[in-house]
Amino acid sequence: MITSTGNEKVKNVVKLMRHKERKKQGVFLVEGVRMFSEIPKEKHVESFATVDFFDRHKELFDGLDYEIVSDNVMEAISDTKTPQGVVSVVRQFEYSIGDVCGTEESPLLIALENIQDPGNLGTIIRTSEGAGVTGVLMSEDTVDIYNSKVVRATMGSIFRVPFVYVDDLCTLIKNMGKKGFCTYSAHLHGTSFYDFDYRKPTIFVMGNEGRGLSDELAAASLNKISIPMKGKVESLNVATASTVLMYETMRQRNS
């Protein structure tokens, strides 16, 4: 059992709480039994578990590299107020634009510009899986998808939804439009999103929580759409708005 926070493996896990170190080592951290049980085996590097957690979930450790740690060590490597008993180091994913577009006849993509709230990004990734989204595109200034709060909010969907950061999202959206994708920018002054057919290859472009889309990216899309509002509400949270658009698309395609 590892009982000292001065242990080299423990110190390295603490380092991995920082974006720069995660990027350098090409790994990220996940916590909790649900996330642990869903890690693809080929991506698992090593897990750290308390005696109590290990005793209750021994079958999940078959064939995996792991260390048993004391409670004080678990507190040191956990990013939550109440540690759940297991922290795992996982290899980062490497996707291409082709992976994100998938092989379906009518892909559905979500493109995100400068999303900053970890909870929003994690929720969008999770909802994307539920709504059958093919993949997620993100501008380079979007929050790190391997941020612990993002990872928790995905509830495991980070292991299954292809995603990629893009240097020039505007140019990509323009090029995708030329290749047959119908591109839609969420915009306060857009046409009601109910007026469009999303059964063709589709990309929804969503902007920053406070500022919305940049003018340049809004102009790069073929269409501007909005979600009708009643009362004094001007717009929805970006994760909620994305959900509305994704599920309208699923409704149209399923019917």
Side-chain angles (χ1 to χ4, degrees):
M1 179 190 293
I2 296 176
T3 58
S4 171
T5 55
N7 178 278
E8 289 303 316
K9 287 187 176 183
V10 172
K11 289 196 291 185
N12 188 59
V13 173
V14 174
K15 285 182 181 179
L16 292 174
M17 293 179 182
R18 302 195 297 268
H19 168 70
K20 186 176 180 180
E21 196 63 33
R22 290 194 297 271
K23 187 173 182 179
K24 177 182 175 182
Q25 297 188 36
V27 296
F28 66 106
L29 302 176
V30 302
E31 289 191 51
V33 62
R34 175 170 179 170
M35 295 288 290
F36 172 59
S37 65
E38 295 185 10
I39 299 170
K41 289 213 170 181
E42 71 275 10
K43 290 293 184 181
H44 182 272
V45 177
E46 188 171 26
S47 288
F48 299 83
T50 60
V51 173
D52 179 62
F53 184 92
F54 181 79
D55 287 343
R56 286 185 287 114
H57 303 285
K58 285 182 180 179
E59 71 284 355
L60 297 179
F61 290 84
D62 287 346
L64 300 180
D65 290 331
Y66 64 90
E67 295 280 2
I68 302 300
V69 300
S70 60
D71 289 344
N72 70 299
V73 169
M74 181 54 62
E75 289 179 8
I77 62 176
S78 172
D79 191 50
T80 59
K81 289 183 179 180
T82 306
Q84 298 179 53
V86 64
V87 173
S88 301
V89 181
V90 182
R91 291 186 185 88
Q92 294 185 6
F93 294 85
E94 296 181 6
Y95 295 111
S96 66
I97 296 295
D99 294 327
V100 171
C101 291
T103 58
E104 289 122 355
E105 186 176 334
S106 293
L108 171 60
L109 308 182
I110 300 294
L112 307 174
E113 181 186 39
N114 192 225
I115 302 302
Q116 293 301 298
D117 184 272
N120 281 336
L121 179 56
T123 298
I124 290 170
I125 296 295
R126 183 184 182 189
T127 306
S128 292
E129 182 179 16
V133 169
T134 315
V136 178
L137 303 166
M138 296 173 284
S139 62
E140 288 285 0
D141 54 2
T142 292
V143 63
D144 176 23
I145 197 168
Y146 297 118
N147 175 299
S148 61
K149 293 179 181 178
V150 177
V151 173
R152 281 199 298 275
T154 70
M155 297 292 285
S157 293
I158 192 172
F159 300 136
R160 297 177 291 274
V161 177
F163 56 85
V164 66
Y165 283 88
V166 180
D167 291 333
D168 188 345
L169 194 55
C170 284
T171 298
L172 179 63
I173 295 300
K174 288 179 182 177
N175 290 339
M176 299 292 262
K178 294 175 183 177
K179 293 178 179 179
F181 276 82
C182 296
T183 54
Y184 302 91
S185 289
H187 198 281
L188 286 176
H189 304 296
T191 303
S192 171
F193 80 105
Y194 289 119
D195 295 343
F196 295 89
D197 182 348
Y198 305 121
R199 289 174 291 184
K200 300 175 183 178
T202 296
I203 303 178
F204 291 121
V205 188
M206 314 299 294
N208 174 268
E209 292 89 344
R211 300 186 301 275
L213 283 175
S214 64
D215 292 340
E216 184 182 11
L217 188 51
S221 299
L222 298 173
N223 306 280
K224 293 183 178 67
I225 57 174
S226 63
I227 298 173
M229 294 285 138
K230 289 190 175 183
K232 296 184 179 180
V233 177
E234 186 179 60
S235 64
L236 298 176
N237 165 280
V238 64
T240 303
S242 298
T243 299
V244 171
L245 299 177
M246 292 182 219
Y247 274 90
E248 170 60 16
T249 303
M250 187 169 75
R251 184 194 69 79
Q252 288 187 15
R253 293 183 176 190
N254 287 349
S255 61

